[in-house]
Amino acid sequence: MRREGEHVSHRDGAALVNSVEGYLRARAYQEDACREAEQFCARMPWLTSAQAEDVTRHYVRQRIALTRRMLQTTADRAVELRGEYEARYAALRRELLRRHAAGACAVLACATAVGSLAGALSR
């Protein structure tokens, strides 16, 4: 708990903002699902109020579960892609380092050869 006069760190503030944003998005999504369920039930005027509430509750629960699965699948794929990209980046870095080292060796060999040739010619 924060004491009076203490400041919230940038990380804590960002986490709080993300948490609030997530909550607001979830509430908006649930309200959309409820609205859709009510519109669906309105097309079935023979349902009693209790039946319409039951259908609405089931619809919202099913839609939220489906969305949760879809988001989890997306998050899992993002983790996979991150691993693939990090592995590719590491391989590219190693290759670049290898090429720079080979280039530096070639420049050093040429400089040594030129120095030796210059020394031999000056004698």
Side-chain angles (χ1 to χ4, degrees), residues 100-116:
H100 276 89
C105 288
V107 167
L108 184 59
C110 286
T112 303
V114 167
S116 297

Side-chain angles (χ1 to χ4, degrees), residues 10-72:
H10 178 65
R11 181 179 294 164
D12 291 340
L16 179 62
V17 167
N18 288 339
S19 179
V20 170
E21 181 182 14
Y23 173 79
L24 292 174
R25 285 179 187 243
R27 288 295 301 157
Y29 188 81
Q30 186 172 12
E31 288 171 7
D32 287 346
C34 285
R35 195 171 20 262
E36 287 176 14
E38 289 167 358
Q39 290 170 355
F40 177 70
C41 289
R43 291 184 293 225
M44 296 180 279
W46 59 86
L47 293 177
T48 66
S49 295
Q51 290 171 328
E53 288 174 11
D54 195 40
V55 168
T56 300
R57 187 171 28 81
H58 285 292
Y59 177 88
V60 170
R61 187 178 326 139
Q62 184 175 359
R63 181 158 173 229
I64 289 174
L66 173 65
T67 301
R68 189 171 284 135
R69 285 192 307 270
M70 289 171 46
L71 288 173
Q72 187 61 52

